[in-house]
Amino acid sequence: MADLKPVGRFAPTPSGRMHLGNVFAALIAWLSVRSRDGEMVLRMEDLDTQRTSGEFAEILRDDLRWLGLDYDRETLPQSRRTAAYDGYFEKLREMDLLYPCYCTRSQLHSVNAPHLSDGTYVYPGTCRNLTEAQRASFDRAPAWRVKVPDKIWTVEDMVQGTYTCNLATDCGDMVVRRADGVYVYQLAVTVDDGEAGVTEVVRGMDLLSSAPRQMYLQELFGFPHPVYAHVPMLLAPDGRRLSKRDKDLDLGVLRQRITPEILIGALAFAGGLIDRNLPISAKELAKEFSWEKLRGDSIYLDASAL
Ligand code: GLU
């Protein structure tokens, strides 16, 4: 990674206890930064105020402490950043890149939009060229979309290698503010990472396709691109993805029966960072961390052995 002092981040959504996949991604993010004497920032991603809570945020902080994953500062939670996001939204408007979209959810799902393998669809630009009279004829508040260019974005990911995406054909114009006025994840993350001076984004593989969307917004807002590292998802020995549904594997349960060193040792071993499955603290592990050791393919974890 770059020579400048690295700045990494934890960006959890406080909607429940951390599960092992979150712990693994947080561990790698922390190791990358701390092994190079960098700075770690914490940010609560609580845009969805229905699903998130201050209690879960407090539990997350406590879980990070228990794991030994410390941070240097916590920035404002996203639910308190609307005024900042408004400013960036206005920049997009000034660049003439925004337009209101009145499509309903069912219209979006039924129109002849090409659907992608992951279940998402490419927005076909239905509302891009509406006249003022057409816009005035709707009696509901619109979502706001940003026009995307027909251009190939290349992510040189530290773990996944080269990933390319053309937003025009793979995604379509992106919603940046929902009809209820709430800003979407892509805009909030871009602004928050940019303003916090984050130089590296380490997170789960499921967010890889978000990287080009965020790179586009970074360019529009004048932020440098961070380095990306999307770490593999954790799988049970039968190939099933470990998720929030595996209640017996959330930290609330695990903390009652194992030490943080046992958990970190098991995760580090599964990820290829150490040769034997032995207890180790995050701090010890940081001394021997290198990106080359990390497995890029699926990581199997036999949680029953924990
Ligand atoms: N808040 C997201 C999550 O908890 C992570 C977003 C990110 O790392 O960019 O899955």
Side-chain angles (χ1 to χ4, degrees):
M1 290 198 182
D3 299 339
L4 287 174
K5 184 172 142 176
V7 181
R9 39 65 139 199
F10 300 124
T13 300
S15 60
R17 288 305 285 247
M18 278 202 211
H19 63 84
L20 289 184
N22 302 135
V23 175
F24 184 68
L27 173 66
I28 303 299
W30 185 91
L31 288 171
S32 172
V33 162
R34 291 301 193 216
S35 62
R36 288 172 301 137
D37 219 12
E39 189 185 350
M40 203 65 198
V41 180
L42 172 65
R43 169 179 76 239
M44 292 296 163
E45 302 217 313
D46 59 351
L47 284 172
D48 183 348
T49 48
Q50 303 290 319
R51 280 193 326 124
T52 57
S53 74
E55 286 80 53
F56 277 128
E58 200 37 61
I59 292 172
L60 278 166
R61 291 184 197 101
D62 190 57
D63 283 342
L64 290 171
R65 254 192 306 274
W66 181 81
L67 288 161
L69 306 181
D70 63 343
Y71 46 90
D72 303 285
R73 58 195 162 104
E74 178 168 356
T75 56
L76 278 182
Q78 292 184 327
S79 61
R80 294 183 46 204
R81 294 267 295 154
T82 310
Y85 305 147
D86 283 343
Y88 288 88
F89 184 76
E90 284 311 315
K91 278 193 192 193
L92 296 177
R93 199 199 297 275
E94 280 158 22
M95 288 184 261
D96 201 22
L97 287 171
L98 284 184
Y99 64 87
C101 172
Y102 297 88
C103 294
T104 60
R105 198 174 285 246
S106 59
Q107 276 169 327
L108 290 173
H109 284 282
S110 61
V111 286
N112 35 13
H115 282 64
L116 305 177
S117 54
D118 63 358
T120 58
Y121 58 86
V122 179
Y123 180 66
T126 320
C127 292
R128 203 193 238 235
N129 297 313
L130 295 182
T131 62
E132 280 310 318
Q134 285 170 314
R135 287 176 184 163
S137 70
F138 291 99
D139 60 357
R140 55 179 180 271
W144 288 85
R145 289 185 185 265
V146 61
K147 297 176 198 165
V148 300
D150 184 7
K151 155 178 175 171
I152 301 209
W153 297 87
T154 303
V155 184
E156 294 298 350
D157 192 273
M158 291 285 293
V159 187
Q160 306 302 329
T162 304
Y163 172 78
T164 57
C165 164
N166 182 335
L167 294 175
T169 51
D170 295 333
C171 153
D173 295 338
M174 308 185 315
V175 171
V176 286
R177 201 173 79 183
R178 298 187 334 206
D180 62 4
V182 176
Y183 287 101
V184 306
Y185 159 75
Q186 306 292 358
L187 181 137
V189 166
T190 305
V191 170
D192 289 344
D193 283 343
E195 289 198 348
V198 166
T199 63
E200 57 181 72
V201 169
V202 180
R203 60 190 174 194
M205 169 68 190
D206 53 339
L207 287 168
L208 180 59
S209 64
S210 287
R213 298 167 202 216
Q214 292 165 20
M215 287 169 75
Y216 171 45
L217 293 176
Q218 285 152 12
E219 288 211 358
L220 295 177
F221 296 154
F223 295 126
H225 297 313
V227 172
Y228 285 103
H230 289 87
V231 304
M233 309 310 283
L234 296 187
L235 304 176
D238 63 3
R240 197 175 45 89
R241 193 166 129 186
L242 298 180
S243 75
K244 273 192 178 162
R245 280 188 295 279
D246 296 289
K247 282 285 173 229
D248 51 334
L249 294 182
D250 80 28
L251 275 190
V253 177
L254 287 175
R255 278 178 63 165
Q256 291 173 13
R257 57 183 187 85
I258 59 173
T259 64
E261 290 79 16
I262 291 178
L263 178 57
I264 287 173
L267 290 172
F269 176 66
L273 299 181
I274 49 177
D275 298 334
R276 286 190 304 154
N277 187 355
L278 291 176
I280 186 167
S281 68
K283 217 174 193 156
E284 280 301 307
L285 195 55
K287 293 182 190 156
E288 46 189 286
F289 175 76
S290 86
W291 279 101
E292 288 73 47
K293 293 184 193 164
L294 182 71
R295 298 175 59 105
D297 51 357
S298 305
I299 295 184
Y300 292 91
L301 187 81
D302 184 2
S304 62
L306 280 172

